[in-house]
Amino acid sequence: MASTVEVPKQHKACMYDKPGAVSIKVEMIDTPEPGPGEVLIHLTHSGVCHSDYGIMMDSWKSLPYPTAPGQIGGHEGVGTIAKLGPGAELAGVKVGDRVGVKWVSRICGSCLACLEGYDGVCFNQAVSGYYTPGTFQQYVLGPANYVTPIPDSLSSPEAAPMLCAGVTTYAALKRSGAQAGQWVIIAGAGGGLGHIACQLGARGMGFRMIGIDTASKRELVLSSGAEHFVDLGAHADDAALTAEVLRLTGGLGAAAVLVCTASNRAYAQAMGFLRFGGTLVCVGMPEGALTPIATAFPNTMCAKMLTITSVAVGNRQEASAVLEFAARGVVKTHLRVEKMEALAGVFGEMAEGKLMGRVVLDLS
């Protein structure tokens, strides 16, 4: 592999030109130089996540700062290293290596959270696509010791969703504490995270999966390994929905529920799906005003010994593990590839709840 490749002085990037609206501007920007310990990555693909939509719309009230005009979004980027900064070779990378950029694009490696393996809550982290240039562009900088190697047998479009949707749901399934053979429910099972969670749970971890979503997602959910599909629209109210879940699980409920949709109502419904000792795992982040989980009553939680936990994103080991699952064919993202100029339209589909699986941008 060549030690150097030609790098253009400028490249294309998708910017949020009007945060708070679905508005994308594609512009030519200067290509940066990698600093000490950094690599310059020539990106070829980037997944599109609901988190990108939330940041563009400036609708996550939990974020510390409003999204700035000109922000380049994206956090599921795959490409090849085009240039090494001083000392980057010490991380064991070289020009031409194919690597990925995740939601947490940089950690300090020395705070207590990092030392205990909680990359997602590093006290000094950088988030790709939020006050750090993201992966909806053709070139991006990354720390040489934190980019994720991509298996040779996995295509770049298939690898991209693993860097957020894959690693996050894998970490969430692990954190659920469910055991092989137990029921696990995915709320939002037909979405980008949900259908991957179904596959990982059913085919990679031995869980019995139930997917909950709208009727249009039925085929995708069942083909992703779910034993049962529950149609949200086929039940008169939440009580009827809960009754159906209990019927499917032999009257007990599920050992775990992963809420992979950004819906406060889904969180309120989920508590009723749990069996004794069950765990609700928070994954999807609702937009708008911060709202507590409506049915998380201490009395009920104590009586059934329920647990609520959460996952922001997985760590480096979990990212490598889920890429290996994908390389082995255990999980295969339902995706379609679009050009970067189509990003606004993709966000429009996302806003209307019409998007099934994942969209990956071709950044060429």
Side-chain angles (χ1 to χ4, degrees):
M1 185 64 67
S3 59
T4 59
V5 296
E6 186 176 350
V7 175
K9 292 183 177 179
Q10 291 195 315
H11 65 273
K12 284 198 299 184
C14 295
M15 298 182 177
Y16 305 150
D17 59 329
K18 299 176 183 177
V22 178
S23 182
I24 303 292
K25 190 173 185 180
V26 180
E27 286 194 345
M28 297 296 293
I29 64 170
D30 292 339
T31 303
E33 284 288 324
E38 291 184 325
V39 294
L40 177 67
I41 305 165
H42 178 201
L43 294 169
T44 59
H45 295 86
S46 179
V48 184
C49 180
H50 196 274
S51 301
D52 299 314
Y53 174 79
I55 290 173
M56 177 189 66
M57 296 302 293
D58 208 10
S59 58
W60 278 357
K61 301 309 178 185
S62 58
L63 293 178
Y65 308 108
T67 304
Q71 174 70 58
I72 300 168
H75 59 270
E76 291 182 343
V78 177
T80 55
I81 295 177
K83 194 170 185 178
L84 302 179
E89 70 280 358
L90 298 175
V93 296
K94 62 185 184 299
V95 170
D97 284 355
R98 197 160 54 112
V99 296
V101 177
K102 306 180 292 297
W103 168 257
V104 175
S105 59
R106 186 186 301 266
I107 63 171
C108 70
S110 57
C111 70
L112 188 59
C114 285
L115 294 175
E116 294 189 9
Y118 289 89
D119 294 19
V121 292
C122 169
F123 303 156
N124 306 295
Q125 67 181 248
V127 173
S128 178
Y130 177 69
Y131 282 83
T132 298
T135 59
F136 295 155
Q137 59 176 326
Q138 293 174 322
Y139 285 85
V140 73
L141 295 175
N145 64 357
Y146 201 66
V147 293
T148 301
I150 305 299
D152 291 341
S153 60
L154 187 63
S155 74
S156 294
E158 291 175 319
M162 294 300 106
L163 296 166
C164 176
V167 65
T168 301
T169 53
Y170 178 55
L173 288 165
K174 288 175 60 182
R175 197 164 178 81
S176 75
Q179 302 296 310
Q182 291 184 321
W183 290 107
V184 174
I185 293 173
I186 307 297
L193 276 74
H195 85 289
I196 291 173
C198 285
Q199 294 179 64
L200 285 169
R203 299 167 183 164
M205 304 173 80
F207 302 146
R208 303 184 69 184
M209 307 300 292
I210 297 174
I212 301 178
D213 214 312
T214 55
S216 63
K217 311 289 182 72
R218 175 186 296 273
E219 183 177 345
L220 173 59
V221 173
L222 292 175
S223 67
S224 295
E227 288 188 40
H228 301 292
F229 175 80
V230 179
D231 178 3
L232 282 169
H235 299 84
D237 52 28
D238 290 353
L241 182 67
T242 300
E244 175 64 3
V245 168
L246 294 178
R247 184 187 70 81
L248 294 173
T249 56
L252 288 176
V257 179
L258 273 62
V259 177
C260 294
T261 180
S263 165
N264 286 307
R265 185 174 181 183
Y267 277 104
Q269 293 166 340
M271 296 300 294
F273 302 158
L274 291 169
R275 59 172 277 172
F276 61 89
T279 299
L280 166 62
V281 187
C282 304
V283 180
M285 294 176 60
E287 294 151 17
L290 298 180
T291 303
I293 298 173
T295 54
F297 306 117
N299 300 48
T300 304
M301 292 187 66
C302 290
K304 294 178 67 176
M305 296 184 65
L306 303 179
T307 299
I308 298 176
T309 188
S310 62
V311 167
V313 71
N315 58 30
R316 283 169 284 187
Q317 184 277 327
E318 289 161 337
S320 295
V322 81
L323 283 163
E324 286 299 327
F325 272 128
R328 288 164 46 209
V330 174
V331 57
K332 187 174 180 64
T333 307
H334 178 87
L335 63 84
R336 76 173 198 260
V337 177
E338 296 281 1
K339 289 292 187 181
M340 58 196 304
E341 289 78 8
L343 181 57
V346 173
F347 281 139
E349 289 182 65
M350 200 174 278
E352 295 173 5
K354 295 180 178 178
L355 199 61
M356 285 197 288
R358 208 65 157 178
V359 169
V360 174
L361 298 183
D362 177 350
L363 302 173
S364 61

